[in-house]
Amino acid sequence: MTQKKQYPGGVKLTLKKARAVAIQEFGTAKGLAKEEPAPFGYFTMEIGNLYVRIHPDTYGETGCIVVSAEMAHGTGQSLKFLDPETLQDNFDALEKRRREDDREALNDWVNSNGPEFCHKQIDRAWERG
């Protein structure tokens, strides 16, 4: 019995598919290259000051292709999750990531400030309505 090759995030993301995603999302694939030394299926490109990364979702393991964009000298990141077969938006995966990020931020807040302080802050906010 042969074993099926495992790809990062469960998605076989080839240069051809990454190029199709880049053209769909940004109108160009100019400068798209394999990210080194990242594992198979990670690609990057720069459009002016915009840094773009196209890769399988290895964080949330949604089975999607993730397109992230951020300014070279800015903060924040824009994420998009695409179905690997149709290249259509997967809003369920995006919502799942948002909930995971919110949970992580809340956990960090409680661990940094202590549960008593956080409980008081929540009570104050709840009472204000």
Side-chain angles (χ1 to χ4, degrees):
M1 180 183 232
T2 60
Q3 278 192 344
K4 192 175 180 182
K5 186 173 181 180
Q6 222 25 298
Y7 293 99
V11 175
K12 181 181 180 183
L13 184 56
T14 62
L15 178 59
K16 181 179 178 180
K17 189 167 278 190
R19 188 173 282 126
V21 168
I23 290 169
Q24 172 183 301
E25 298 301 319
F26 302 100
T28 184
K30 185 178 179 182
L32 184 68
K34 184 174 187 248
E35 186 176 321
E36 298 291 345
F40 180 78
Y42 285 67
F43 299 91
T44 61
M45 65 188 236
E46 292 183 28
I47 305 170
N49 287 327
L50 188 66
Y51 177 74
V52 175
R53 193 168 187 224
I54 301 169
H55 59 90
D57 182 16
T58 55
Y59 175 80
E61 298 182 2
T62 60
C64 290
I65 296 170
V66 178
V67 180
S68 65
E70 58 188 274
M71 297 300 292
H73 302 289
T75 59
Q77 182 181 58
S78 178
L79 290 176
K80 189 169 194 176
F81 291 79
L82 301 175
D83 180 278
E85 300 300 320
T86 65
L87 301 184
Q88 297 300 307
D89 289 311
N90 186 321
F91 296 110
D92 291 338
L94 182 62
E95 179 62 20
K96 179 182 179 204
R97 172 64 70 88
R98 188 196 63 75
R99 283 192 312 267
E100 288 170 357
D101 289 348
D102 287 352
R103 192 174 306 118
E104 209 171 281
L106 182 60
N107 193 30
D108 289 346
W109 180 62
V110 172
N111 287 334
S112 296
N113 296 294
E116 295 80 19
F117 171 81
C118 294
H119 193 280
K120 287 178 187 174
Q121 294 295 91
I122 292 168
D123 286 347
R124 285 179 56 203
W126 191 259
E127 289 168 4
R128 282 192 303 239

